[in-house]
C-alpha cells in the first residue's frame, strides 16, 4: 500500500481529497493535516510515501514545506493540489521535485490518473532496482517515462490531448500580459514547447477566450499574437 498524507487548510476539501484517495486501489490515507506544522510533524512521526499538498497554508506555503522536508532528509514524494496556477509557483514546484501539479477544481478522474501514474513510477523503480540498480539509458528512460504512462483525462469541453492545468497555466500568462503574446513568448513563459503552446492557443482562440491579431515583420510572413478577451 502507498501511504498518503493529505494537506489542505480547508477541512472540507481535505476530507473530499482523502475520500478520493480512498477510492483508488493501492492507496490509503494515513493522516490529514491543515497546516505546514501539522504536515511536518506527521512526516516526522509516520512513514509517508506521498503527500498531496496545497500551496496556500496558514503558517507557510506548500513549497516552503517541501523545502523543509527535503532539508531534513525525508523521502516523501509530493503531488501539488492547489488553486495556485501562476508560472512562478508551477516552476518552483517542478524545481523542488513535485511529481505532478493538479489545479483546483479538479475531478476524481484527474486525481486518479495522477495517482495511477505515481503507482506506475514506483513499480518501475522497484523493478529496475530489483535487478541491481539502473543498468543504462533504457532503464533510466523507463523510470522517467513512467509518470507519463497514464495520461490525464481531458476536461469536459477540452479537445482530446488537452489538460485543464496546462490550459489554466496558459490562460494565467495571457491574463497577466499587458500586450498580445506570440506562441514563442507563451512557450518561454510557461516552459512548454512552442508546438504545445500553439495548439492550446489555437483552441482558446477558437473558443472565444483569446483574440488573434497579426504582426507583420520584415519577412512578410505574419506572426500570430494572442490577447486575453475580457468578458
Amino acid at each position: 500500500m502507498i501511504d498518503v498524507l493529505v494537506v489542505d487548510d480547508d477541512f472540507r476539501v481535505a476530507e473530499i481529497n482523502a475520500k478520493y484517495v480512498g477510492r483508488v486501489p493501492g492507496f490509503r490515507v494515513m493522516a490529514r493535516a491543515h497546516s505546514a506544522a501539522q504536515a511536518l510533524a506527521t512526516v516526522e512521526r509516520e512513514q509517508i510515501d506521498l503527500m498531496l499538498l496545497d500551496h496556500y497554508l496558514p503558517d507557510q506555503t506548500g513549497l516552503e514545506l517541501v523545502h523543509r522536508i527535503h532539508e531534513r532528509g525525508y523521502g516523501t514524494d509530493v503531488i501539488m493540489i492547489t488553486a495556485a496556477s501562476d508560472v512562478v509557483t508551477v516552476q518552483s514546484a517542478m524545481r523542488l521535485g513535485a511529481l505532478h501539479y493538479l489545479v483546483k477544481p479538479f475531478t476524481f478522474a484527474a486525481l486518479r490518473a495522477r495517482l495511477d501514474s505515481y503507482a506506475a513510477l514506483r513499480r518501475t523503480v522497484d523493478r529496475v532496482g530489483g535487478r541491481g540498480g539502473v543498468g543504462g539509458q533504457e532503464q533510466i528512460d523507463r523510470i522517467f517515462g513512467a509518470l507519463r504512462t497514464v495520461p490525464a483525462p481531458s476536461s469536459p469541453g477540452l479537445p482530446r490531448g488537452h489538460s485543464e492545468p496546462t490550459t489554466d497555466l496558459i490562460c494565467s500568462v495571457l491574463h497577466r500580459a499587458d500586450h498580445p503574446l506570440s506562441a514563442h513568448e507563451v512557450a518561454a513563459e510557461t516552459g512548454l514547447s512552442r508546438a504545445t503552446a500553439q495548439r492550446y492557443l489555437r483552441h482558446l482562440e477558437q473558443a472565444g477566450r483569446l483574440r488573434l491579431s497579426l504582426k507583420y515583420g520584415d519577412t512578410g510572413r505574419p506572426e500570430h499574437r494572442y490577447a486575453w478577451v475580457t468578458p
Side-chain angles (χ1 to χ4, degrees):
M1 296 292 288
I2 296 174
D3 294 325
V4 180
L5 169 63
V6 176
V7 185
D8 198 293
D9 67 321
D10 188 315
F11 285 72
R12 183 180 60 86
V13 172
E15 185 62 28
I16 292 172
N17 291 351
K19 287 181 179 179
Y20 276 173
V21 173
R23 293 169 57 187
V24 182
F27 291 82
R28 64 184 174 191
V29 176
M30 292 295 291
R32 301 162 184 76
H34 308 293
S35 68
Q38 288 180 356
L40 182 59
T42 302
V43 170
E44 292 175 336
R45 184 177 64 250
E46 306 283 350
Q47 180 63 45
I48 300 297
D49 299 311
L50 176 66
M51 183 164 54
L52 302 186
L53 178 62
D54 187 16
H55 181 59
Y56 299 120
L57 300 174
D59 52 345
Q60 205 172 34
T61 68
L63 295 184
E64 288 170 338
L65 172 61
V66 174
H67 182 69
R68 289 178 65 189
I69 287 174
H70 288 172
E71 269 190 334
R72 301 190 182 195
Y74 295 104
T76 303
D77 293 319
V78 174
I79 293 178
M80 298 295 296
I81 298 183
T82 177
S85 59
D86 60 282
V87 177
V88 172
T89 302
V90 173
Q91 289 182 329
S92 297
M94 293 172 62
R95 289 166 182 155
L96 285 171
L99 299 178
H100 279 301
Y101 198 106
L102 188 58
V103 178
K104 298 177 181 177
F106 58 90
T107 63
F108 167 68
L111 177 59
R112 175 163 188 168
R114 284 154 180 80
L115 293 179
D116 286 342
S117 176
Y118 174 72
L121 171 66
R122 288 176 61 95
R123 289 193 300 269
T124 301
V125 170
D126 289 344
R127 188 161 56 247
V128 173
R131 294 199 295 265
V134 175
Q137 188 64 52
E138 181 181 352
Q139 288 76 20
I140 295 173
D141 290 343
R142 191 172 296 129
I143 291 173
F144 274 86
L147 284 172
R148 297 187 293 272
T149 58
V150 184
S154 295
S155 301
L158 289 179
R160 183 176 179 83
H162 287 62
S163 72
E164 187 171 323
T166 303
T167 301
D168 289 342
L169 179 60
I170 290 177
C171 287
S172 176
V173 169
L174 269 297
H175 191 266
R176 294 197 317 270
D178 57 4
H179 62 277
L181 299 179
S182 66
H184 177 77
E185 290 170 325
V186 171
E189 286 286 332
T190 59
L192 300 169
S193 70
R194 186 186 181 283
T196 298
Q198 182 65 65
R199 182 159 49 89
Y200 277 80
L201 289 168
R202 187 179 301 114
H203 165 70
L204 290 168
E205 186 266 328
Q206 292 172 350
R209 300 175 68 181
L210 300 180
R211 182 179 65 255
L212 172 64
S213 60
L214 301 179
K215 180 181 179 182
Y216 289 86
D218 297 335
T219 62
R221 185 175 182 179
E223 180 183 53
H224 289 195
R225 303 182 71 84
Y226 299 86
W228 184 256
V229 175
T230 302

